[in-house]
Amino acid sequence: MKRIILVRYGEIILKGLNRPVFEGKLVNNIKKSLYGLGKVEVVKSQGRIYVEPLGEDYEFDRAIAKLTRVFGVVSVSPVWKINSSFDDIKFHSLEVAKDLLERNRFKTFKVETKRGNKRFPMESPEISRELGAHILENIPSLSVDVIHPDFILYVEVREFTYIYSEIIPANGGMPIGTNGKAVLLLSGGIDSPVAGWMIAKRGVEIEAVHFYSYPYTSERAKEKVIELTRILSSYCGPINLHIVPFTDIQLEINEKCPQDQLTIIMRRAMMVISERIARAVGALALVTGESVGQVASQTIQSLAVTNAAVSMPVFRPLIGMDKNDVIAIARRIDTFETSILPYEDCCTVFVAKHPKTKPQLAKILLSESRLDMELLISKAVENTEVIKITPGKN
Ligand code: ATP
Ligand code: MG
């Protein structure tokens, strides 16, 4: 008997001829996510992936936590792998039930059997019935409830037999690296980490860009963005974080442009710089955390003027979402607590009291013509610091 992890994946099964490519990526991403936890074998078989530790000291619980963050994984179960003989199945089913009762106050159960191995001499209902009876006989405190059982003992009879009771949901999506690369404009706020996570979930590799206005924003604000990137990397694998010095650009805009245009011109500069970085790293799109109407710079008019600064597609996965929905995701993916730390963002340093909510592109272009944007932007790109962020210990 061996304790292993069963990994289920879903949507990529639909990918027809490309299926082996998607599965290969998923297996690879799984191996990478488990790096450093001990020796392990990752085997794909019949539409599932089995993670089999090779030593006794394997960090099993951490492996499960990591696997639930790999995109493409639908759910994960810790399972017992045993030989497909009915005596063995009977013996171990009881052991697993006893073990569960040591940790939980369960009163009712049912057995659910799937028989993939048609050479096995008993049919599924018969296996379930016999195992149920065997457990009832040996654990008198339990009774069967087929509708709302406290636990289900799943028995899958294949070449080997797998017994388990727990199905831990994961995020689904597509394996990272199956859908190209995009550049995420990552602030220290609540929205952009969620936006990046949503796009990454679809298999898109992410590079992050952060605009940093030292000394108007502090070292700690930068640390916060590094931490947010680290959390994202626990889902995506290592992420390059580009820290762009933005102070000079902001000072210049602040000095030469009308106050009510500051935010929109600044946001256009961010887009232009991000697009350049995207081209340099081979990314095909930009991602932001904007949503319609949330603030003055996110009215439809403002978004249109911001968009006009670049020719690359800009993905805004939160575009139609309410803040509460975004917060719910931020909590679930663990970015919320870091996002609400009270360090300033460069957008909050130079802001007008009454920013334009309906900017006109022609007027914005006229203001921009007073700036030496090209020089400032090239300087900012040149002085960008790139940090490779890897998932933390946990
Ligand atoms: P967030 O919570 O992501 O900060 P927000 O609702 O506060 O978003 P804004 O501050 O207007 O909105 O920013 C809109 C988007 O612009 C952000 O979601 C992010 O993609 C990008 N952005 C804003 N500030 C920065 C920054 N300092 N560095 C990189 N991207 C930024
Ligand atoms: Mg913000």
mmCIF file of all heavy atoms in Angstrom, residues 187-192 267 294-295 298 323 345-348, ligand 2:
data_model
loop_
_atom_site.group_PDB
_atom_site.id
_atom_site.type_symbol
_atom_site.label_atom_id
_atom_site.label_comp_id
_atom_site.label_asym_id
_atom_site.label_seq_id
_atom_site.Cartn_x
_atom_site.Cartn_y
_atom_site.Cartn_z
ATOM 1 N N SER A 187 -0.012 47.100 -10.138
ATOM 2 C CA SER A 187 0.118 48.141 -9.113
ATOM 3 C C SER A 187 0.170 47.418 -7.778
ATOM 4 O O SER A 187 0.290 46.204 -7.735
ATOM 5 C CB SER A 187 -1.111 49.044 -9.168
ATOM 6 O OG SER A 187 -2.232 48.336 -8.709
ATOM 7 N N GLY A 188 0.071 48.130 -6.696
ATOM 8 C CA GLY A 188 0.005 47.452 -5.404
ATOM 9 C C GLY A 188 -1.432 47.274 -4.947
ATOM 10 O O GLY A 188 -1.688 46.894 -3.816
ATOM 11 N N GLY A 189 -2.407 47.559 -5.849
ATOM 12 C CA GLY A 189 -3.813 47.556 -5.442
ATOM 13 C C GLY A 189 -4.446 46.173 -5.435
ATOM 14 O O GLY A 189 -3.771 45.157 -5.551
ATOM 15 N N ILE A 190 -5.765 46.162 -5.321
ATOM 16 C CA ILE A 190 -6.497 44.898 -5.233
ATOM 17 C C ILE A 190 -6.726 44.301 -6.622
ATOM 18 O O ILE A 190 -6.682 43.089 -6.808
ATOM 19 C CB ILE A 190 -7.869 45.134 -4.544
ATOM 20 C CG1 ILE A 190 -7.656 45.576 -3.097
ATOM 21 C CG2 ILE A 190 -8.731 43.871 -4.592
ATOM 22 C CD1 ILE A 190 -8.925 46.082 -2.425
ATOM 23 N N ASP A 191 -6.939 45.175 -7.601
ATOM 24 C CA ASP A 191 -7.441 44.700 -8.892
ATOM 25 C C ASP A 191 -6.407 44.015 -9.789
ATOM 26 O O ASP A 191 -6.670 42.939 -10.334
ATOM 27 C CB ASP A 191 -8.050 45.870 -9.673
ATOM 28 C CG ASP A 191 -9.204 46.502 -8.919
ATOM 29 O OD1 ASP A 191 -9.908 45.765 -8.206
ATOM 30 O OD2 ASP A 191 -9.390 47.717 -9.025
ATOM 31 N N SER A 192 -5.261 44.651 -9.966
ATOM 32 C CA SER A 192 -4.345 44.122 -10.978
ATOM 33 C C SER A 192 -3.817 42.708 -10.676
ATOM 34 O O SER A 192 -3.680 41.909 -11.619
ATOM 35 C CB SER A 192 -3.216 45.103 -11.285
ATOM 36 O OG SER A 192 -2.700 45.677 -10.132
ATOM 37 N N ARG A 267 -1.350 57.557 -17.396
ATOM 38 C CA ARG A 267 -1.755 56.191 -17.715
ATOM 39 C C ARG A 267 -1.359 55.833 -19.149
ATOM 40 O O ARG A 267 -0.983 54.704 -19.448
ATOM 41 C CB ARG A 267 -3.259 56.008 -17.519
ATOM 42 C CG ARG A 267 -3.690 56.302 -16.072
ATOM 43 C CD ARG A 267 -4.926 55.559 -15.673
ATOM 44 N NE ARG A 267 -4.867 54.215 -16.159
ATOM 45 C CZ ARG A 267 -4.117 53.282 -15.622
ATOM 46 N NH1 ARG A 267 -3.399 53.539 -14.553
ATOM 47 N NH2 ARG A 267 -4.111 52.083 -16.129
ATOM 48 N N GLN A 294 -15.070 52.491 -12.528
ATOM 49 C CA GLN A 294 -14.629 52.391 -11.141
ATOM 50 C C GLN A 294 -14.091 53.728 -10.618
ATOM 51 O O GLN A 294 -14.360 54.112 -9.488
ATOM 52 C CB GLN A 294 -13.567 51.305 -11.019
ATOM 53 C CG GLN A 294 -13.442 50.782 -9.612
ATOM 54 C CD GLN A 294 -12.351 49.734 -9.503
ATOM 55 O OE1 GLN A 294 -11.183 50.056 -9.503
ATOM 56 N NE2 GLN A 294 -12.751 48.486 -9.435
ATOM 57 N N VAL A 295 -13.294 54.400 -11.419
ATOM 58 C CA VAL A 295 -12.769 55.728 -11.065
ATOM 59 C C VAL A 295 -12.764 56.579 -12.340
ATOM 60 O O VAL A 295 -13.047 56.079 -13.426
ATOM 61 C CB VAL A 295 -11.326 55.643 -10.493
ATOM 62 C CG1 VAL A 295 -11.306 55.112 -9.088
ATOM 63 C CG2 VAL A 295 -10.429 54.807 -11.396
ATOM 64 N N GLN A 298 -11.325 55.409 -15.476
ATOM 65 C CA GLN A 298 -11.861 54.161 -16.017
ATOM 66 C C GLN A 298 -13.285 54.318 -16.568
ATOM 67 O O GLN A 298 -14.034 53.354 -16.659
ATOM 68 C CB GLN A 298 -11.789 53.051 -14.952
ATOM 69 C CG GLN A 298 -10.347 52.724 -14.592
ATOM 70 C CD GLN A 298 -10.190 51.690 -13.504
ATOM 71 O OE1 GLN A 298 -11.015 50.815 -13.360
ATOM 72 N NE2 GLN A 298 -9.129 51.798 -12.728
ATOM 73 N N LYS A 323 -16.582 45.695 -7.602
ATOM 74 C CA LYS A 323 -15.438 45.597 -6.677
ATOM 75 C C LYS A 323 -15.574 44.397 -5.732
ATOM 76 O O LYS A 323 -14.594 43.695 -5.476
ATOM 77 C CB LYS A 323 -15.320 46.899 -5.875
ATOM 78 C CG LYS A 323 -13.994 47.068 -5.161
ATOM 79 C CD LYS A 323 -12.896 47.485 -6.123
ATOM 80 C CE LYS A 323 -11.540 47.584 -5.436
ATOM 81 N NZ LYS A 323 -10.504 48.090 -6.358
ATOM 82 N N ASP A 345 0.677 54.249 -3.809
ATOM 83 C CA ASP A 345 0.974 53.867 -5.183
ATOM 84 C C ASP A 345 1.302 55.141 -5.943
ATOM 85 O O ASP A 345 0.884 56.231 -5.552
ATOM 86 C CB ASP A 345 -0.265 53.190 -5.793
ATOM 87 C CG ASP A 345 -0.030 52.800 -7.240
ATOM 88 O OD1 ASP A 345 0.801 51.903 -7.465
ATOM 89 O OD2 ASP A 345 -0.649 53.393 -8.135
ATOM 90 N N CYS A 346 2.051 55.003 -7.033
ATOM 91 C CA CYS A 346 2.461 56.215 -7.761
ATOM 92 C C CYS A 346 1.254 56.995 -8.282
ATOM 93 O O CYS A 346 1.314 58.210 -8.444
ATOM 94 C CB CYS A 346 3.408 55.858 -8.892
ATOM 95 S SG CYS A 346 2.612 55.026 -10.253
ATOM 96 N N CYS A 347 0.137 56.294 -8.522
ATOM 97 C CA CYS A 347 -1.052 56.980 -9.037
ATOM 98 C C CYS A 347 -1.634 57.934 -8.009
ATOM 99 O O CYS A 347 -2.391 58.842 -8.342
ATOM 100 C CB CYS A 347 -2.149 55.981 -9.399
ATOM 101 S SG CYS A 347 -1.730 54.990 -10.809
ATOM 102 N N THR A 348 -1.331 57.703 -6.740
ATOM 103 C CA THR A 348 -1.952 58.531 -5.701
ATOM 104 C C THR A 348 -1.073 59.717 -5.328
ATOM 105 O O THR A 348 -1.453 60.562 -4.546
ATOM 106 C CB THR A 348 -2.235 57.693 -4.431
ATOM 107 O OG1 THR A 348 -1.001 57.069 -4.045
ATOM 108 C CG2 THR A 348 -3.274 56.639 -4.681
HETATM 109 MG MG MG B 2 -4.493 51.487 -8.082
#
